[in-house]
Amino acid sequence: VNIQLSICFFLVFISYSSPTTGLIVPHSSVLAYLGNPLDRCANQRSDEDWLTRLLHQPSTRHIHMSGDKTFISDGKLQTFPRANTPECILLGVDADGMGWFASPAQTKENLMDLRSLAVAGVLPQGELAILAQARSLLHWHERHGFCANCGVKTDMRDAGYRRHCAACATDH
C-alpha cells in the first residue's frame, strides 16, 4: 500500500507543462482524468449570443454520452456536428477555438465506458479528462432536474453550469 501511494505521489510530482495544453501528467490509469485542455469560458457562459455563435460553428464538437459510456470509432473519440437534445452543456473551448459540448446519447448500443478507455489507454489523457467533465455535468443534470427548495422543475442556465427555478427564483 505504501509503495502504491508513493508511486501515485511520484507521478503527480513528475508532471510537466506544455505550452499548448498546460499541465501534462504522464499517462496513467490511476490519474487518467487529469489534464483537461479546455477553457471552460466562465465569463462567456451566460452570453446567449456568444453561445449561439459557438454552437453553430462548423468546427464545434459534440460528445454524446449514456451514463459513463460514449462513442468510440477506430480507437478514437467520436464527436458529432450537433447535439441530440435542445439542451446541451458547454464543456469549453480548445486551443484552436473549437467549442466542445455534451448531450445525452439517444442510443445505448456500441458505446464504451470511461474506465475501460482509461485502463486500455485508448484515448489521449486530455480527451479522457474532457469525457470525465462531460459525464460529471450530464449526471448532475440527470439527478437535479427539480428544485431542492420547492420541488418545481428547473431550467438549465449558463450553458449547463447552473439550474434555475422560476417558481422560487433559486439557483442551483
Side-chain angles (χ1 to χ4, degrees), residues 125-168:
Q125 191 165 359
E127 287 185 1
L128 285 172
I130 292 169
L131 288 171
Q133 177 192 1
R135 163 65 172 128
S136 174
L137 288 166
L138 287 168
H139 184 258
W140 182 71
H141 284 285
E142 288 169 8
R143 300 282 184 210
H144 297 89
F146 294 88
C147 179
N149 192 39
C150 71
V152 171
K153 186 166 176 44
T154 58
D155 299 314
M156 185 186 297
R157 298 283 171 88
D158 291 342
Y161 285 79
R162 180 170 62 95
R163 294 200 68 86
H164 179 75
C165 177
C168 69

Side-chain angles (χ1 to χ4, degrees), residues 28-96:
S28 163
S29 60
V30 176
L31 303 172
Y33 305 114
L34 299 178
N36 189 334
L38 300 181
D39 174 356
R40 296 183 186 188
C41 302
N43 294 330
Q44 290 91 6
R45 281 188 222 139
S46 59
D47 182 343
E48 293 296 325
D49 292 334
W50 179 83
L51 280 170
T52 300
R53 284 192 308 273
L54 187 62
L55 265 170
H56 291 96
Q57 285 181 353
S59 61
T60 293
R61 299 174 180 194
H62 291 269
I63 297 169
H64 299 172
M65 295 188 78
S66 177
D68 70 339
K69 296 179 179 180
T70 192
F71 293 93
I72 302 297
S73 178
D74 297 325
K76 295 183 181 195
L77 175 62
Q78 186 175 358
T79 60
F80 300 88
R82 59 184 46 110
N84 278 334
T85 60
E87 288 188 338
C88 58
I89 299 166
L90 172 68
L91 299 174
V93 175
D94 66 18
D96 296 325

